[in-house]
Short mmCIF file of all heavy atoms in Angstrom, two decimals:
data_model
loop_
_atom_site.label_atom_id
_atom_site.label_comp_id
_atom_site.label_asym_id
_atom_site.label_seq_id
_atom_site.Cartn_x
_atom_site.Cartn_y
_atom_site.Cartn_z
N THR A 1 -13.18 -41.05 -14.71
CA THR A 1 -13.49 -40.44 -16.00
C THR A 1 -14.78 -39.62 -15.87
O THR A 1 -15.81 -40.12 -15.44
CB THR A 1 -13.64 -41.51 -17.09
OG1 THR A 1 -12.41 -42.26 -17.17
CG2 THR A 1 -13.93 -40.88 -18.43
N GLY A 2 -14.65 -38.33 -16.17
CA GLY A 2 -15.78 -37.43 -16.01
C GLY A 2 -15.97 -36.93 -14.59
O GLY A 2 -16.86 -36.11 -14.33
N GLY A 3 -15.12 -37.39 -13.67
CA GLY A 3 -15.28 -37.05 -12.26
C GLY A 3 -14.01 -36.52 -11.62
O GLY A 3 -13.27 -35.76 -12.22
N GLY A 4 -13.78 -36.98 -10.38
CA GLY A 4 -12.71 -36.41 -9.57
C GLY A 4 -11.37 -37.10 -9.72
O GLY A 4 -11.16 -37.97 -10.58
N VAL A 5 -10.44 -36.70 -8.85
CA VAL A 5 -9.08 -37.20 -8.86
C VAL A 5 -8.63 -37.38 -7.42
O VAL A 5 -9.11 -36.69 -6.52
CB VAL A 5 -8.15 -36.20 -9.61
CG1 VAL A 5 -8.10 -34.86 -8.90
CG2 VAL A 5 -6.76 -36.76 -9.81
N TRP A 6 -7.74 -38.35 -7.18
CA TRP A 6 -7.23 -38.51 -5.83
C TRP A 6 -5.81 -39.06 -5.84
O TRP A 6 -5.32 -39.56 -6.86
CB TRP A 6 -8.15 -39.38 -4.98
CG TRP A 6 -8.03 -40.87 -5.13
CD1 TRP A 6 -7.29 -41.72 -4.38
CD2 TRP A 6 -8.69 -41.70 -6.10
NE1 TRP A 6 -7.45 -43.02 -4.80
CE2 TRP A 6 -8.30 -43.04 -5.84
CE3 TRP A 6 -9.58 -41.45 -7.14
CZ2 TRP A 6 -8.76 -44.11 -6.61
CZ3 TRP A 6 -10.04 -42.51 -7.90
CH2 TRP A 6 -9.64 -43.82 -7.64
N LYS A 7 -5.15 -38.93 -4.68
CA LYS A 7 -3.76 -39.36 -4.52
C LYS A 7 -3.74 -40.77 -3.92
O LYS A 7 -4.34 -41.01 -2.88
CB LYS A 7 -3.01 -38.41 -3.58
CG LYS A 7 -2.99 -36.97 -4.02
CD LYS A 7 -2.40 -36.08 -2.92
CE LYS A 7 -2.44 -34.61 -3.30
NZ LYS A 7 -1.94 -33.74 -2.21
N GLN A 8 -3.01 -41.66 -4.58
CA GLN A 8 -2.78 -42.98 -4.00
C GLN A 8 -1.70 -42.87 -2.91
O GLN A 8 -0.98 -41.87 -2.81
CB GLN A 8 -2.35 -43.95 -5.09
CG GLN A 8 -3.46 -44.28 -6.08
CD GLN A 8 -3.65 -45.78 -6.22
OE1 GLN A 8 -3.96 -46.47 -5.25
NE2 GLN A 8 -3.49 -46.27 -7.44
N THR A 9 -1.57 -43.94 -2.12
CA THR A 9 -0.61 -43.93 -1.01
C THR A 9 0.81 -43.68 -1.49
O THR A 9 1.60 -42.99 -0.82
CB THR A 9 -0.65 -45.25 -0.25
OG1 THR A 9 -0.29 -46.33 -1.14
CG2 THR A 9 -2.02 -45.52 0.34
N ILE A 10 1.17 -44.20 -2.67
CA ILE A 10 2.55 -44.07 -3.14
C ILE A 10 2.87 -42.64 -3.58
O ILE A 10 4.04 -42.31 -3.80
CB ILE A 10 2.86 -45.06 -4.28
CG1 ILE A 10 2.05 -44.73 -5.55
CG2 ILE A 10 2.61 -46.50 -3.84
CD1 ILE A 10 2.49 -45.51 -6.77
N PHE A 11 1.86 -41.81 -3.73
CA PHE A 11 2.08 -40.41 -4.08
C PHE A 11 3.01 -39.73 -3.08
O PHE A 11 3.89 -38.94 -3.46
CB PHE A 11 0.73 -39.69 -4.10
CG PHE A 11 0.78 -38.23 -4.52
CD1 PHE A 11 0.50 -37.87 -5.83
CD2 PHE A 11 1.06 -37.23 -3.61
CE1 PHE A 11 0.52 -36.53 -6.22
CE2 PHE A 11 1.09 -35.89 -3.98
CZ PHE A 11 0.82 -35.54 -5.30
N TYR A 12 2.83 -40.05 -1.82
CA TYR A 12 3.48 -39.28 -0.76
C TYR A 12 4.99 -39.52 -0.64
O TYR A 12 5.76 -38.55 -0.61
CB TYR A 12 2.77 -39.51 0.57
CG TYR A 12 1.34 -39.02 0.53
CD1 TYR A 12 0.27 -39.91 0.40
CD2 TYR A 12 1.05 -37.66 0.54
CE1 TYR A 12 -1.04 -39.47 0.33
CE2 TYR A 12 -0.26 -37.20 0.46
CZ TYR A 12 -1.30 -38.10 0.36
OH TYR A 12 -2.59 -37.65 0.27
N PRO A 13 5.48 -40.76 -0.59
CA PRO A 13 6.94 -40.91 -0.53
C PRO A 13 7.63 -40.38 -1.79
O PRO A 13 8.73 -39.83 -1.71
CB PRO A 13 7.15 -42.42 -0.36
CG PRO A 13 5.88 -43.05 -0.79
CD PRO A 13 4.81 -42.07 -0.47
N PHE A 14 6.96 -40.54 -2.96
CA PHE A 14 7.55 -39.99 -4.18
C PHE A 14 7.64 -38.47 -4.08
O PHE A 14 8.67 -37.87 -4.40
CB PHE A 14 6.72 -40.39 -5.41
CG PHE A 14 7.40 -40.02 -6.71
CD1 PHE A 14 8.20 -40.92 -7.37
CD2 PHE A 14 7.25 -38.74 -7.26
CE1 PHE A 14 8.84 -40.57 -8.57
CE2 PHE A 14 7.89 -38.38 -8.44
CZ PHE A 14 8.68 -39.30 -9.10
N LYS A 15 6.58 -37.84 -3.62
CA LYS A 15 6.57 -36.38 -3.50
C LYS A 15 7.65 -35.88 -2.55
O LYS A 15 8.43 -34.98 -2.89
CB LYS A 15 5.20 -35.90 -3.03
CG LYS A 15 5.16 -34.41 -2.70
CD LYS A 15 3.82 -33.99 -2.12
CE LYS A 15 3.87 -32.55 -1.63
NZ LYS A 15 2.57 -32.09 -1.07
N TYR A 16 7.71 -36.45 -1.35
CA TYR A 16 8.68 -35.96 -0.37
C TYR A 16 10.11 -36.16 -0.85
O TYR A 16 10.98 -35.29 -0.64
CB TYR A 16 8.47 -36.66 0.97
CG TYR A 16 7.43 -36.00 1.84
CD1 TYR A 16 6.10 -36.39 1.80
CD2 TYR A 16 7.77 -34.94 2.69
CE1 TYR A 16 5.14 -35.78 2.58
CE2 TYR A 16 6.82 -34.31 3.48
CZ TYR A 16 5.50 -34.74 3.41
OH TYR A 16 4.54 -34.11 4.18
N THR A 17 10.38 -37.28 -1.53
CA THR A 17 11.73 -37.52 -2.01
C THR A 17 12.06 -36.62 -3.20
O THR A 17 13.15 -36.05 -3.28
CB THR A 17 11.90 -39.00 -2.39
OG1 THR A 17 11.42 -39.83 -1.33
CG2 THR A 17 13.37 -39.33 -2.62
N SER A 18 11.10 -36.46 -4.12
CA SER A 18 11.32 -35.60 -5.28
C SER A 18 11.59 -34.15 -4.86
O SER A 18 12.50 -33.50 -5.38
CB SER A 18 10.11 -35.66 -6.21
OG SER A 18 10.21 -34.73 -7.26
N LEU A 19 10.80 -33.65 -3.93
CA LEU A 19 10.93 -32.24 -3.54
C LEU A 19 12.17 -31.99 -2.68
O LEU A 19 12.78 -30.92 -2.76
CB LEU A 19 9.69 -31.79 -2.77
CG LEU A 19 8.36 -31.81 -3.53
CD1 LEU A 19 7.27 -31.17 -2.69
CD2 LEU A 19 8.47 -31.10 -4.87
N ASN A 20 12.55 -32.96 -1.86
CA ASN A 20 13.63 -32.74 -0.88
C ASN A 20 14.92 -33.48 -1.18
O ASN A 20 15.93 -33.23 -0.53
CB ASN A 20 13.13 -33.13 0.52
CG ASN A 20 11.92 -32.33 0.94
OD1 ASN A 20 12.01 -31.15 1.23
ND2 ASN A 20 10.75 -32.98 0.95
N GLY A 21 14.86 -34.37 -2.19
CA GLY A 21 16.04 -35.17 -2.49
C GLY A 21 16.84 -34.64 -3.65
O GLY A 21 17.37 -35.42 -4.45
N ARG A 22 16.97 -33.34 -3.75
CA ARG A 22 17.74 -32.72 -4.83
C ARG A 22 18.98 -32.07 -4.25
O ARG A 22 18.90 -31.32 -3.30
CB ARG A 22 16.88 -31.72 -5.59
CG ARG A 22 15.56 -32.36 -6.02
CD ARG A 22 14.94 -31.77 -7.23
NE ARG A 22 13.69 -32.46 -7.55
CZ ARG A 22 13.12 -32.47 -8.74
NH1 ARG A 22 13.70 -31.82 -9.73
NH2 ARG A 22 12.00 -33.12 -8.95
N GLY A 23 20.11 -32.40 -4.85
CA GLY A 23 21.39 -31.91 -4.32
C GLY A 23 22.42 -33.01 -4.47
O GLY A 23 22.58 -33.58 -5.56
N THR A 24 23.11 -33.33 -3.39
CA THR A 24 24.17 -34.34 -3.41
C THR A 24 23.83 -35.45 -2.43
O THR A 24 23.50 -35.20 -1.27
CB THR A 24 25.52 -33.72 -3.03
OG1 THR A 24 25.85 -32.70 -3.99
CG2 THR A 24 26.63 -34.75 -3.01
N ALA A 25 23.89 -36.69 -2.92
CA ALA A 25 23.58 -37.85 -2.07
C ALA A 25 24.78 -38.21 -1.21
O ALA A 25 25.93 -38.19 -1.67
CB ALA A 25 23.17 -39.04 -2.94
N LEU A 26 24.51 -38.52 0.04
CA LEU A 26 25.53 -38.91 1.01
C LEU A 26 25.24 -40.31 1.53
O LEU A 26 24.09 -40.65 1.84
CB LEU A 26 25.56 -37.93 2.18
CG LEU A 26 25.78 -36.45 1.85
CD1 LEU A 26 25.66 -35.61 3.11
CD2 LEU A 26 27.14 -36.23 1.19
N LYS A 27 26.28 -41.10 1.65
CA LYS A 27 26.15 -42.46 2.15
C LYS A 27 25.85 -42.45 3.64
O LYS A 27 26.42 -41.65 4.40
CB LYS A 27 27.43 -43.25 1.89
CG LYS A 27 27.40 -44.71 2.30
CD LYS A 27 28.70 -45.40 1.93
CE LYS A 27 28.67 -46.87 2.29
NZ LYS A 27 28.65 -47.09 3.75
N ALA A 28 24.98 -43.33 4.07
CA ALA A 28 24.70 -43.51 5.50
C ALA A 28 25.31 -44.83 5.96
O ALA A 28 25.04 -45.88 5.38
CB ALA A 28 23.20 -43.51 5.74
N ASP A 29 26.16 -44.77 6.97
CA ASP A 29 26.70 -45.99 7.58
C ASP A 29 25.75 -46.42 8.68
O ASP A 29 25.46 -45.64 9.60
CB ASP A 29 28.10 -45.73 8.15
CG ASP A 29 29.13 -45.51 7.05
OD1 ASP A 29 29.07 -46.24 6.04
OD2 ASP A 29 29.98 -44.61 7.21
N ILE A 30 25.29 -47.65 8.60
CA ILE A 30 24.21 -48.11 9.48
C ILE A 30 24.61 -49.37 10.22
O ILE A 30 25.17 -50.31 9.63
CB ILE A 30 22.92 -48.36 8.65
CG1 ILE A 30 22.48 -47.05 7.97
CG2 ILE A 30 21.80 -48.90 9.52
CD1 ILE A 30 21.44 -47.23 6.91
N GLU A 31 24.32 -49.38 11.50
CA GLU A 31 24.45 -50.59 12.31
C GLU A 31 23.06 -50.94 12.83
O GLU A 31 22.42 -50.13 13.52
CB GLU A 31 25.41 -50.38 13.48
CG GLU A 31 26.86 -50.15 13.05
CD GLU A 31 27.79 -49.99 14.25
OE1 GLU A 31 27.39 -50.38 15.37
OE2 GLU A 31 28.91 -49.48 14.05
N CYS A 32 22.59 -52.14 12.48
CA CYS A 32 21.24 -52.53 12.88
C CYS A 32 21.10 -54.05 12.80
O CYS A 32 21.99 -54.74 12.28
CB CYS A 32 20.19 -51.86 12.00
SG CYS A 32 20.25 -52.39 10.27
N GLU A 33 19.98 -54.53 13.26
CA GLU A 33 19.66 -55.95 13.13
C GLU A 33 19.30 -56.28 11.69
O GLU A 33 19.02 -55.39 10.88
CB GLU A 33 18.47 -56.30 14.04
CG GLU A 33 18.72 -56.08 15.51
CD GLU A 33 17.46 -56.36 16.34
OE1 GLU A 33 16.46 -56.84 15.75
OE2 GLU A 33 17.48 -56.09 17.54
N SER A 34 19.30 -57.58 11.38
CA SER A 34 18.83 -58.06 10.08
C SER A 34 17.75 -59.11 10.30
O SER A 34 17.57 -59.61 11.41
CB SER A 34 19.99 -58.66 9.28
OG SER A 34 20.96 -57.68 8.99
N PHE A 35 17.02 -59.42 9.22
CA PHE A 35 16.02 -60.48 9.31
C PHE A 35 16.01 -61.28 8.01
O PHE A 35 16.47 -60.82 6.96
CB PHE A 35 14.62 -59.90 9.59
CG PHE A 35 14.06 -59.05 8.49
CD1 PHE A 35 13.37 -59.60 7.42
CD2 PHE A 35 14.22 -57.66 8.51
CE1 PHE A 35 12.85 -58.81 6.40
CE2 PHE A 35 13.69 -56.86 7.49
CZ PHE A 35 13.01 -57.44 6.43
N THR A 36 15.48 -62.49 8.09
CA THR A 36 15.27 -63.33 6.92
C THR A 36 13.82 -63.80 6.92
O THR A 36 13.31 -64.26 7.94
CB THR A 36 16.21 -64.55 6.93
OG1 THR A 36 17.56 -64.10 6.77
CG2 THR A 36 15.88 -65.51 5.79
N GLU A 37 13.17 -63.61 5.77
CA GLU A 37 11.76 -64.02 5.65
C GLU A 37 11.54 -64.48 4.21
O GLU A 37 11.60 -63.68 3.28
CB GLU A 37 10.83 -62.86 5.98
CG GLU A 37 9.35 -63.19 5.90
CD GLU A 37 8.87 -64.05 7.06
OE1 GLU A 37 9.46 -63.95 8.15
OE2 GLU A 37 7.90 -64.80 6.86
N GLY A 38 11.32 -65.78 4.01
CA GLY A 38 11.11 -66.30 2.67
C GLY A 38 12.33 -66.05 1.79
O GLY A 38 13.46 -66.39 2.17
N LYS A 39 12.11 -65.43 0.64
CA LYS A 39 13.19 -65.14 -0.29
C LYS A 39 14.00 -63.91 0.12
O LYS A 39 15.04 -63.63 -0.48
CB LYS A 39 12.63 -64.94 -1.70
CG LYS A 39 11.97 -66.18 -2.27
CD LYS A 39 11.36 -65.89 -3.64
CE LYS A 39 10.62 -67.10 -4.19
NZ LYS A 39 9.96 -66.81 -5.49
N ALA A 40 13.52 -63.18 1.11
CA ALA A 40 14.25 -62.01 1.62
C ALA A 40 15.24 -62.48 2.67
O ALA A 40 14.86 -62.78 3.81
CB ALA A 40 13.27 -61.00 2.19
N VAL A 41 16.49 -62.57 2.29
CA VAL A 41 17.52 -63.17 3.14
C VAL A 41 18.47 -62.10 3.65
O VAL A 41 19.02 -61.31 2.88
CB VAL A 41 18.30 -64.25 2.36
CG1 VAL A 41 19.40 -64.85 3.23
CG2 VAL A 41 17.35 -65.35 1.88
N ASP A 42 18.68 -62.10 4.98
CA ASP A 42 19.65 -61.22 5.63
C ASP A 42 19.41 -59.76 5.24
O ASP A 42 20.30 -59.05 4.77
CB ASP A 42 21.08 -61.64 5.26
CG ASP A 42 22.11 -61.07 6.24
OD1 ASP A 42 21.73 -60.76 7.38
OD2 ASP A 42 23.28 -60.93 5.84
N ILE A 43 18.19 -59.31 5.47
CA ILE A 43 17.77 -57.96 5.12
C ILE A 43 18.02 -57.01 6.30
O ILE A 43 17.50 -57.25 7.40
CB ILE A 43 16.27 -57.93 4.76
CG1 ILE A 43 15.95 -58.93 3.64
CG2 ILE A 43 15.84 -56.52 4.38
CD1 ILE A 43 16.63 -58.66 2.34
N PRO A 44 18.79 -55.94 6.11
CA PRO A 44 18.95 -54.97 7.20
C PRO A 44 17.59 -54.38 7.59
O PRO A 44 16.82 -53.97 6.72
CB PRO A 44 19.86 -53.90 6.59
CG PRO A 44 20.57 -54.59 5.47
CD PRO A 44 19.59 -55.58 4.93
N ALA A 45 17.33 -54.33 8.88
CA ALA A 45 16.03 -53.82 9.34
C ALA A 45 15.88 -52.33 9.08
O ALA A 45 14.77 -51.84 8.87
CB ALA A 45 15.84 -54.12 10.83
N VAL A 46 16.99 -51.62 9.09
CA VAL A 46 16.97 -50.17 8.88
C VAL A 46 17.87 -49.82 7.70
O VAL A 46 18.96 -50.39 7.56
CB VAL A 46 17.44 -49.42 10.14
CG1 VAL A 46 17.61 -47.93 9.87
CG2 VAL A 46 16.47 -49.66 11.29
N ASP A 47 17.41 -48.91 6.87
CA ASP A 47 18.26 -48.39 5.80
C ASP A 47 17.98 -46.90 5.64
O ASP A 47 16.92 -46.41 6.05
CB ASP A 47 18.01 -49.12 4.48
CG ASP A 47 19.20 -49.01 3.53
OD1 ASP A 47 20.23 -48.40 3.91
OD2 ASP A 47 19.12 -49.53 2.40
#
């Protein structure tokens, strides 16, 4: 307040997706390992 402005870390993935993610979404078929950690069960490592 009364001073400067800055970008938080989350600014960047939102910006890149907003600017480049316009058009038609295509499904990606993925083969990869999975992991389980705490409440995160059978999570694909890559998406």
Side-chain angles (χ1 to χ4, degrees):
T1 301
V5 63
W6 81 95
K7 302 172 183 177
Q8 291 233 60
T9 61
I10 67 170
F11 183 97
Y12 297 103
F14 188 93
K15 172 185 172 179
Y16 274 93
T17 311
S18 173
L19 297 187
N20 301 289
R22 308 207 180 202
T24 299
L26 304 175
K27 183 177 182 292
D29 291 319
I30 299 167
E31 294 182 17
C32 65
E33 299 176 7
S34 297
F35 65 86
T36 294
E37 181 74 28
K39 296 177 184 177
V41 178
D42 198 23
I43 305 297
V46 172
D47 202 2

